[in-house]
Amino acid sequence: MLHTNENADFELKIILRLLCPALHCHIDGMFLILYLVSCIRGAQEEDPPDPQLMRLDNMLLAEGVSGPEKGGGSAAAAAAAAASGGSSDNSIEHSDYRAKLTQIRQIYHTELEKYEQACNEFTTHVMNLLREQSRTRPISPKEIERMVGIIHRKFSSIQMQLKQSTCEAVMILRSRFLDARRKRRNFSKQATEILNEYFYSHLSNPYPSEEAKEELAKKCSITVSQSLIKFPKEREKDAQATGKLVSNWFGNKRIRYKKNIGKFQEEANLYAAKTAVTAAHAVAAAVQNNQTNSPTTPNSGSSGSFNLPNSGDMFMNMQSLNGDSYQGSQVGANVQSQVDTLRHVINQTGGYSDGLGGNSLYSPHNLNANGGWQDATTPSSVTSPTEGPGSVHSDTSN
DNA sequence: TAGCATGATTATGA
DNA sequence: TCATAATCATGCTA
């Protein structure tokens, strides 16, 4: 939870501290300006509006602090709502934001009211004083005008201070609630596992296609709202946005893997072994299936001669083998990929070495001399038509 | 509470 | 335009 009660109190104190000096300052100067205050209002009305004051007014209006109340909301609140994606979790935070904004609004209006009230009191008081003074000495209009000028400036600055403080308070609130980086949340363990499985089973080319990303997001139950990040445009297209989350994950993973292969090797082995178990079952099933349905299928069981119809996503294909959401008959490709996986596991355990040994799908050697990912599937092996060198999956991250 | 892990953003280069 | 590298900010854990 980002905002505990303690935090709320702390924020409120800051806001109060920001707001109150304006009034205190005003009270300090009260006696100095007392007897001429009555003239201020008229003078204020005549003067052209201060551009700075106008800016502050506009901002306060836009934020819903001044002006008519919009159900406790504001443009910023709306933005917060939009950014939240509408999950229950976020609606809590959204209402929290709205509550805080309402507090600021209340404080602002209370202070403004006090201010107005003080003005009225001064006016009455000054009227009395002037009446008394005019009996003892003549008061010239010029003198009054000069003093009015001084007081006018004083009043403007006080007003400006109040508005500025309120704006600052709103800005602090906004930044706390709307700063996406503060909204980072870890994916679930299961989601991370699914992503890792995909990553390590595609270590030769860990660039999932858009479809794969969407599917991964679905399988991981990743939603835009879960991430809480801001996608001004993408938010409208959930799939794109979730795809971005997957992209972020893969982007980070690729970099961190490359930076510290040694550290990730163990993890890679773990996932490879895990995949291999599934693969073994799949191979058996596929072989059996081929024998039953198409004993003369040319590609069945051969190595290195498959032409994958799509990106060659072993992981995804395995999902289909497991009766999951993926469709299409890619048994041959699956067999090949899974055989590769098995080979990798064998290689990792050091018990077997063949022609693929130096070109293991899971070997760090997949990184080329330039530090980029080398397509280990090229050219004669399990090359996907969409996965040649330099034609990596689009992994839109920005 | 420090240190590490990790999701997200930004700058940069191809 | 996209991937990478660097960085930031938060979450998690010992």
Side-chain angles (χ1 to χ4, degrees), chain A residues 76-137:
Chain A
S84 75
S87 74
S88 61
D89 216 21
N90 298 321
S91 46
I92 290 167
E93 293 198 10
H94 178 211
S95 62
D96 206 12
Y97 175 87
R98 282 169 54 159
K100 292 262 165 52
L101 198 68
T102 308
Q103 276 181 313
I104 292 176
R105 186 187 159 88
Q106 276 169 357
I107 293 166
Y108 173 75
H109 284 287
T110 308
E111 294 297 319
L112 214 58
E113 216 169 282
K114 281 184 197 167
Y115 180 80
E116 295 278 328
Q117 203 181 334
C119 277
N120 288 337
E121 281 170 15
F122 294 159
T123 308
T124 314
H125 197 72
V126 163
M127 289 298 283
N128 293 335
L129 280 173
L130 280 174
R131 215 173 290 142
E132 280 176 29
Q133 286 245 330
S134 62
R135 284 182 206 152
T136 54
R137 69 172 184 98

Side-chain angles (χ1 to χ4, degrees), chain A residues 11 14-16 18-19 56-66 73-77 80 97-98 100-108 162-179:
Chain A
E11 279 171 10
I14 290 175
I15 291 161
L16 281 167
L18 286 168
L19 290 176
L56 291 169
D57 279 335
N58 288 338
M59 188 184 160
L60 290 173
L61 204 62
E63 296 297 333
V65 175
S66 64
S74 68
Y97 175 87
R98 282 169 54 159
K100 292 262 165 52
L101 198 68
T102 308
Q103 276 181 313
I104 292 176
R105 186 187 159 88
Q106 276 169 357
I107 293 166
Y108 173 75
L162 176 66
K163 290 182 177 179
Q164 206 152 11
S165 300
T166 309
C167 283
E168 279 171 26
V170 172
M171 286 294 104
I172 290 167
L173 188 68
R174 278 196 74 147
S175 67
R176 283 201 67 81
F177 275 83
L178 301 178
D179 185 354

